[in-house]
Amino acid sequence: GGFTSRLSSTVLWFSSGDTKSVIHNDGQHNFHCIFSGRKDWILWQPSETINTRAFGWIRGEEEAKTNPKFKDTYGTYVGLIDTEDVDTNEFPGWDTLKWWKLNMEAGDCAYIPARWFHFVEAPRGRSLTVHVWFEAGGKFDQRSCDTMEAQGHNTSEYLLRISDCTWGHEPDKPKKTKCKVRKPAPKKVDEL
């Protein structure tokens, strides 16, 4: 469906756990897979107004100009609340938000749609995860599937691994991501 041409980047996350993210969102879609450890997510849909000052949203570089607490920060995220103890008197909107909890363990993968707000926490212990960011396509491209099937590929089976890709979309690499597709399996005698 043209998916590999929209792959943007991949990140390997590893730690000894006991980590937390800030509440933020990403502009791209994300497949997140866990090889070892556990991650607990809280997600909010993009239509929520979390990215406003009423929810503690900041622009790191701008906030740093007037608040020394944010001296080395960057990006946009919820930076004015304590995620362990949200002050709902100062930020009352947090009491009314609809949210989802996602618990992931080794072997789990999740699709996180673009622009969904999320907070991620990993308990103490080894954590090894990978995520792949990708751009949304305007529509599904059936032609690329037809071409692969004509070349003998079974598009119902996996055709590539993350390690089969050369990643583009880097500042010094203006080229697109390219992935080498594995060779079609030889046909069995009874299929001939």
Side-chain angles (χ1 to χ4, degrees):
F3 173 73
T4 57
S5 66
R6 295 189 302 272
L7 293 173
S8 178
S9 67
T10 184
V11 176
L12 176 66
W13 298 90
F14 54 97
S15 75
S16 58
D18 204 19
T19 60
K20 297 176 190 169
S21 75
V22 294
I23 298 171
H24 68 287
N25 64 2
D26 299 308
Q28 297 177 332
H29 299 279
N30 178 357
F31 282 121
H32 195 94
C33 298
I34 298 190
F35 298 107
S36 179
R38 175 186 173 93
K39 285 195 176 179
D40 299 316
W41 298 61
I42 299 175
L43 299 118
W44 300 268
Q45 59 189 352
S47 60
E48 299 291 0
T49 56
I50 291 173
N51 59 342
T52 62
R53 195 71 174 189
F55 284 88
W57 193 260
I58 65 158
R59 287 172 173 66
E61 295 87 350
E62 292 299 312
E63 197 71 26
K65 292 176 184 175
T66 58
N67 187 338
K69 176 183 168 188
F70 296 95
K71 178 181 164 229
D72 296 318
T73 62
Y74 63 93
T76 56
Y77 59 95
V78 174
L80 298 178
I81 68 166
D82 176 357
T83 57
E84 296 292 318
D85 186 22
V86 178
D87 183 344
T88 55
N89 290 321
E90 186 176 357
F91 301 102
W94 286 102
D95 266 348
T96 62
L97 292 175
K98 183 176 181 181
W99 53 277
W100 290 264
K101 186 164 181 77
L102 171 65
N103 299 317
M104 298 179 69
E105 296 180 346
D108 291 340
C109 289
Y111 165 65
I112 312 299
R115 293 178 295 285
W116 274 65
F117 297 99
H118 52 278
F119 170 78
V120 186
E121 187 171 23
R124 187 176 312 275
R126 181 175 62 183
S127 176
L128 179 61
T129 67
V130 67
H131 75 229
V132 177
W133 276 322
F134 62 97
E135 302 288 339
K139 64 179 186 168
F140 183 78
D141 181 6
Q142 182 63 40
R143 292 173 301 165
S144 64
C145 293
D146 295 342
T147 299
M148 296 192 79
E149 287 174 353
Q151 294 171 350
H153 295 282
N154 179 349
T155 56
S156 295
E157 295 178 358
Y158 87 90
L159 299 173
L160 59 93
R161 300 166 298 190
I162 292 172
S163 61
D164 295 328
C165 299
T166 303
W167 300 91
H169 299 284
E170 298 293 328
D172 59 337
K173 298 179 190 175
K175 63 183 179 183
K176 289 187 172 189
T177 297
K178 299 269 186 208
C179 298
K180 184 173 73 176
V181 177
R182 66 188 192 124
K183 293 181 180 181
K187 292 197 181 262
K188 297 176 184 171
V189 174
D190 59 342
E191 292 178 344
L192 297 174

